[in-house]
Amino acid sequence: MIGGAGNDGTTPVTARRGWWPSTLRSRLFIILFIGLAIAYSLSFSILFIERYMSAKAVMLGTLESDLATSIAVIDRLPPTERPLWLDRLSRGNYRLLLGPGLPGVPDMSGRGAEIAERIEEAAGHRFPLRVEAIPEDGKRLQGHVTLSDGSELTIDVTPRGVMPIASWLPYVFAVQMALLLLCTWFAVRQAIRPLGDLAAAADAVDPSKKGEPMRETGPAEVARAGRAFNAMRDRIAHHLEERVQILAAISHDLQTPITRMRLRADMADDTPEKEKLVSDLREIERLVQDGIAYARSAHGNAEKASRIDLSSFIESIAYDYQDTGKSVRVIDLVQGTVATKPHALRRILTNFIDNAIKFSGAAEIGIERRDGGEVVITVLDRGPGIPQDMLEAAMQPFFRLEQSRNRETGGAGLGLAIAQQLAGALGGSVRLYNRDGGGLAAELTLR
């Protein structure tokens, strides 16, 4: 449907013609170039027509004056001398012949009518005149004049094409169109480049990193947009930092009353209500600890990077879980070292492994080194996985799947969010995807 609102209340996207480009750069280029080209072509056409009409008027005027002189001279010459003057009095677009000339047909249309009128004006209406067109050549005309002594004079006219412009002018026109094309491209590039810079700066915004600000140079409008974008980015970073600080402060302040409540609960008599109270306190304590961990992960850049043996590092994590009776095994290993932040990397992997164990009872760790130097660490399980439309939402803070992440399993929905923030601090990225045959894969890419 084109136009109107859809059945779901959303506004549909208007159909776009296939020939119309999708980029603003191309659209502006086409509009400017075609508009300027049409305006320039109109100016060139008007000049051509004006020059053509002027040249035509000059040609017909010259034809009339020359013929008037030639007819008058031939009429006054003795018949014996006339043949000697024919070539002298002929011009490039007409020749004088003695005699009746070639048979023709009357022609009073188009240019023939204009030339016939000029011949009549040249004859001064004193001599009988008949103008005919030669059938073999549509452009050739003959005017038959009867002189004063009764002899016939034929005016053989072959009109030449009017050239109102110089022959080199079309080449100048082509060069001007090329310059117009170049200037249009340059103008569009100057207008669109700030939008590209703004889009690149927006894509590079990362609240967990101190990136380079957008340049505030160029035309006044571009500089103003750069300043506004940098101010907006600073405000976003400030708001996020405030949110993390508030979360850290609340989580930290809750630890003291929770500890007092735990002490009082431990001193109470053993009753079913006591066990429930202690269980609730443990859950609250885990929530508080997760909140503090999430707040700290937002400042993961504080840890110094160091070079570690990746295989030994992964195996040590797996052995720690195996020592506690958890089913964690390494399925793929690569040799070599990597420069990273060990504590942040360990926290990411333990979050992945804890989730895998929680929802499937076991976890597998695979390591792959790809072309370009990227190292990919994947934690796999055979649990229920995550619905495809919720994979992206699962990375958000406090997100929990209704079917599995309930109060029985614990957790605040911060594990994957913490892993994502720490991965950004390591210069990497996190991706979740469902495995073939069931289960989830949590992938960490280190660049």
Side-chain angles (χ1 to χ4, degrees):
M1 182 178 66
I2 301 176
N7 296 329
D8 57 353
T10 59
T11 301
V13 179
T14 303
R16 177 166 51 85
R17 295 180 182 271
W19 57 267
W20 190 240
S22 59
T23 62
L24 181 61
R25 181 192 302 270
S26 301
R27 292 182 180 184
L28 284 178
F29 180 83
I30 290 175
I31 292 172
L32 288 176
F33 180 74
I34 291 181
L36 292 174
I38 291 176
Y40 189 78
S41 299
L42 287 175
S43 300
F44 186 84
S45 300
I46 292 173
L47 175 63
F48 181 88
I49 293 173
E50 191 276 333
R51 293 287 300 275
Y52 177 84
M53 294 176 65
S54 298
K56 180 179 176 181
V58 171
M59 183 196 73
L60 292 176
T62 303
L63 176 66
E64 178 182 347
S65 61
D66 288 350
L67 277 177
T69 302
S70 299
I71 293 173
V73 171
I74 292 295
D75 184 62
R76 286 173 172 76
L77 288 174
T80 56
E81 296 183 11
R82 290 174 180 172
L84 302 177
W85 285 85
L86 292 178
D87 292 336
R88 298 179 183 180
L89 297 176
S90 297
R91 296 292 183 264
N93 54 354
Y94 69 87
R95 292 186 304 114
L96 299 179
L97 304 173
L98 294 175
L102 299 175
V105 295
D107 181 36
M108 287 297 181
S109 62
R111 182 182 293 184
E114 295 179 339
I115 295 177
E117 182 180 356
R118 296 294 180 171
I119 295 175
E120 290 177 356
E121 294 293 335
H125 303 285
R126 297 185 298 108
F127 306 102
L129 174 66
R130 184 180 76 259
V131 179
E132 296 177 337
I134 307 302
E136 290 79 7
D137 190 346
K139 297 181 180 180
R140 187 177 178 185
L141 299 173
Q142 284 192 348
H144 306 283
V145 179
T146 303
L147 299 177
S148 300
D149 59 358
S151 59
E152 292 190 18
L153 174 67
T154 299
I155 306 170
D156 191 354
V157 182
T158 305
R160 292 185 176 181
V162 179
M163 179 59 67
I165 59 175
S167 59
W168 46 264
L169 195 56
Y171 299 101
V172 175
F173 177 77
V175 172
Q176 290 175 331
M177 293 300 293
L179 288 175
L180 179 62
L181 181 68
L182 180 63
C183 292
T184 303
W185 171 84
F186 183 74
V188 171
R189 181 174 179 270
Q190 291 296 312
I192 297 301
R193 187 171 60 179
L195 291 179
D197 295 340
L198 181 62
D203 290 337
V205 169
D206 188 350
S208 63
K209 297 180 181 179
K210 185 65 176 178
E212 291 293 329
M214 184 178 176
R215 292 182 300 176
E216 299 178 4
T217 59
E221 295 83 359
V222 175
R224 181 182 177 187
R227 288 192 297 270
F229 178 83
N230 290 332
M232 180 191 68
R233 189 186 67 168
D234 293 338
R235 288 195 299 269
I236 292 174
H238 179 68
H239 293 331
L240 291 176
E241 186 176 356
E242 278 188 344
R243 185 191 69 173
V244 171
Q245 289 175 351
I246 292 172
L247 177 61
I250 294 175
S251 301
H252 182 271
D253 292 342
L254 283 174
Q255 291 187 82
T256 300
I258 291 173
T259 302
R260 288 199 301 263
M261 294 173 66
R262 283 284 305 272
L263 290 174
R264 292 170 183 170
D266 290 339
M267 291 187 294
D269 295 334
D270 293 334
T271 61
E273 286 73 16
K274 174 185 176 179
E275 293 299 327
K276 293 178 181 179
L277 178 60
V278 171
S279 176
D280 288 340
L281 288 173
R282 289 197 189 100
E283 182 176 352
I284 295 174
E285 191 173 14
R286 283 196 299 269
L287 292 174
V288 170
Q289 291 173 352
D290 286 343
I292 294 174
Y294 178 73
R296 289 175 177 172
S297 68
H299 303 283
N301 288 325
E303 182 185 356
K304 300 291 185 180
S306 61
R307 186 165 291 278
I308 62 173
D309 183 273
L310 194 57
S311 298
S312 300
F313 184 81
I314 300 298
E315 287 180 334
S316 68
I317 295 176
Y319 291 153
D320 291 341
Y321 278 95
Q322 292 170 7
D323 289 342
T324 60
K326 305 291 179 60
S327 177
V328 177
R329 67 188 186 95
V330 181
I331 56 176
D332 292 309
L333 279 177
V334 294
Q335 301 300 322
T337 61
V338 63
T340 186
K341 299 175 180 180
H343 294 295
L345 179 59
R346 180 179 291 272
R347 183 59 189 266
I348 295 171
L349 296 180
T350 54
N351 282 0
F352 287 167
I353 295 171
D354 289 342
N355 281 340
I357 293 174
K358 184 184 299 181
F359 302 119
S360 71
E364 298 176 336
I365 307 174
I367 312 174
E368 177 188 2
R369 189 181 295 273
R370 295 178 179 172
D371 296 338
E374 291 184 343
V375 175
V376 180
I377 305 173
T378 309
V379 177
L380 308 104
D381 64 56
R382 285 298 180 184
I386 299 177
Q388 191 68 29
D389 58 345
M390 295 185 180
L391 284 174
E392 184 175 353
M395 304 299 297
Q396 301 301 318
F398 305 106
F399 177 84
R400 295 203 285 181
L401 292 174
E402 186 66 25
Q403 292 83 357
S404 59
R405 303 192 178 191
N406 49 36
R407 294 174 62 89
E408 297 295 330
T409 59
L414 289 173
L416 292 176
I418 292 172
Q420 186 177 42
Q421 286 198 145
L422 291 176
L426 297 179
S429 61
V430 170
R431 182 173 73 99
L432 299 179
Y433 61 91
N434 290 305
R435 301 177 63 188
D436 294 336
L440 186 71
E443 181 181 276
L444 169 65
T445 302
L446 299 176
R447 298 179 179 85

